[in-house]
Amino acid sequence: MTAAAPPVPPGDCAPPAAPAAAPASTATPPATPTATAPATARTLTPVSKVLKLCLHALLLGLLALAAGRAVADSAPRAGWVFAACALLAAVYAAGVRAPAVHSSPRAGAVWLAGIGAAWAALLLVSPDGLWIAFPLYFLELHLLRLRWGVAAVAVTACAAIGGFLAHSSAATPGAFLGPLLGGAVAVATVLGYQALYRESERRRELIEELITTRADLAAAERSAGILAERERLAREIHDTLAQGLSSIQLLLRAAERALPEGAPALPHIAQAREAAQDNLAEARRFVRALTPPDLEHGSLAAALERLCAGVPGPRVRFSLSGRPRVLPTPYEVALLRIAQSALANVVRHARAGRAEITLTFMDASVTLDIVDDGHGFDPSSAASGSGDGGFGLPAMRSRAETLGGLFTVESAPGQGTAVAVTLPLPLEHLEHPDPVEAL
């Protein structure tokens, strides 16, 4: 009989989506709900339906057995036994068919009281009513909260023992042990099921969280790939087309100065220089269109200031030194990415209270300094990869060296960290510092 469906956690109601099912039938493990369906609308699995039918068959079969034995043995109260069994079956079927029993704990308790009264009448006229106690245990544990359900099981066991003693002249150990052991088995089954149910729910939540995290990670990787490809294209266009067109323009200007005034080739050279200048401007617009989002709506200094304002944890201050100028997009991207990586290290590893970023424009170079008052580290161990992942230093160094710059790190345990990046300005920026002419 332990195969009867154990109830869901105490206080839960039967699913309103299945009004034709017995309340105890929802004791079986529900199917996993969809993302939009509430927990109370879970669909019964085929196994759940089988267990529900088994519980119905168990109760009705025990009632049929009690009535059949009374009629077959020609018991003096056979008519009363048959009537009590029919009454209990009718009350049970009415509760199974009533939607309120499945949605209201109070209605379920009233239905359980009706079943208890009908069962008590059966106990008065037949000792075979004792058999009905076991399915009643599961109904009580399902419809009532745990403490009230255990109390109801104890009362039901005592009533079963009393009903048996009322019809038997000899008190045997089995008369006491049977109902008590049955109640203990029912309670243990319910508690075990509740533990399994909670563990199953936790695993389901973990799986859903894992699926969501994987989707977020995939989206972040796609976004990072798009940004990296944009940066690569901007760098390639700047290093090839833009630089080539700029060199052509400088050579044509030199040729124009070298030719005597009034030379026949001067108009053609001027036309070629204008064409090179137009295409250079077009290349610059294309490079700027591939600029990372942080640089789309302002200068590098503005992007760094926004970055400092949005850092969680330590207080970060930004300062600008020198005469600002428009830098090539690869320079701005490299300096911004280095600043982002350095501040990420400050937040994750340094445990700093303050940090400062300084962007300095000099005559022939631009310098970015990131200083914090954190715990510091040994730069040699980080560079060799023996530290916590190298703190991203190899990637920052690679960005700086790709543009011909210098990357330095000064740090020691307990003394904070200072990161400095110096990039030499391109030749055209030295000759044409005006933002309109500089790439």
Side-chain angles (χ1 to χ4, degrees), residues 310-375:
V311 172
R315 291 184 292 108
V316 183
R317 187 168 68 93
F318 172 74
S319 59
L320 179 64
S321 177
R323 178 172 173 265
R325 63 181 71 187
V326 178
L327 296 175
T329 298
Y331 280 55
E332 292 186 341
V333 170
L335 292 174
L336 178 62
R337 295 297 185 232
I338 291 174
Q340 289 173 335
S341 182
L343 284 182
N345 289 338
V346 171
V347 174
R348 291 163 48 195
H349 304 292
R351 299 180 184 177
R354 293 182 303 168
E356 183 174 356
I357 292 183
T358 304
L359 180 64
T360 305
F361 289 93
M362 293 178 281
D363 294 337
S365 63
V366 58
T367 302
L368 180 69
D369 297 287
I370 304 100
V371 182
D372 68 75
D373 62 352
H375 289 181

Side-chain angles (χ1 to χ4, degrees), residues 29-341:
T32 303
T34 61
T36 58
T40 56
R42 292 173 181 144
T43 304
L44 290 176
T45 63
V47 175
S48 303
K49 294 179 180 179
V50 170
L51 294 177
K52 173 190 66 175
L53 294 177
C54 288
L55 181 61
H56 294 339
L58 173 64
L59 182 60
L60 297 178
L62 291 175
L63 289 175
L65 179 62
R69 286 192 54 175
V71 174
D73 295 342
S74 300
R77 300 179 179 178
W80 289 104
V81 172
F82 186 86
C85 290
L87 175 62
L88 181 55
V91 173
Y92 182 79
V96 169
R97 303 291 298 179
V101 172
H102 303 273
S103 58
S104 172
R106 179 173 297 181
V110 172
W111 177 57
L112 187 61
I115 291 179
W119 178 60
L122 178 61
L123 281 178
L124 290 176
V125 296
S126 173
D128 295 337
L130 169 68
W131 301 335
I132 312 299
F134 190 76
L136 289 182
Y137 293 153
F138 287 104
L139 286 177
E140 292 162 349
L141 291 171
H142 167 59
L143 293 173
L144 304 175
R145 296 189 180 276
L146 182 60
R147 57 182 179 180
W148 297 110
V150 173
V153 167
V155 172
T156 301
C158 293
I161 295 173
F164 181 82
L165 294 178
H167 295 280
S168 176
S169 57
T172 62
F176 294 90
L177 293 179
L180 293 177
L181 288 178
V185 169
V187 172
T189 301
V190 168
L191 293 179
Y193 167 76
Q194 289 177 3
L196 292 175
Y197 180 81
R198 286 192 296 267
E199 181 65 22
S200 174
E201 285 297 295
R202 281 195 294 268
R203 291 189 178 184
R204 180 184 61 81
E205 293 172 359
L206 287 175
I207 292 173
E208 292 179 354
E209 183 179 354
L210 177 61
I211 293 174
T212 303
T213 303
R214 289 179 62 182
D216 294 342
L217 179 60
E221 289 178 347
R222 285 194 298 269
S223 178
I226 292 173
L227 291 176
E229 183 63 14
R230 290 175 60 172
E231 293 177 14
R232 187 190 69 81
L233 288 175
R235 185 170 58 251
E236 292 296 331
I237 293 172
H238 171 268
D239 293 343
T240 55
L241 293 177
Q243 293 288 3
L245 291 171
S246 180
S247 299
I248 291 172
Q249 188 177 8
L250 292 175
L251 292 173
L252 290 174
R253 187 171 295 174
E256 193 175 26
R257 288 195 298 264
L259 289 174
E261 190 173 342
L266 282 177
H268 299 288
I269 293 177
Q271 186 178 2
R273 185 167 58 81
E274 291 176 1
Q277 185 174 359
D278 292 341
N279 283 275
L280 178 60
E282 186 67 25
R284 289 171 180 167
R285 283 194 293 270
F286 190 50
V287 168
R288 290 193 179 95
L290 295 172
T291 301
D294 294 329
L295 297 171
E296 285 181 351
H297 305 292
S299 63
L300 173 62
L304 291 175
E305 192 170 1
R306 289 193 299 270
L307 175 64
C308 294
V311 172
R315 291 184 292 108
V316 183
R317 187 168 68 93
F318 172 74
S319 59
L320 179 64
S321 177
R323 178 172 173 265
R325 63 181 71 187
V326 178
L327 296 175
T329 298
Y331 280 55
E332 292 186 341
V333 170
L335 292 174
L336 178 62
R337 295 297 185 232
I338 291 174
Q340 289 173 335
S341 182

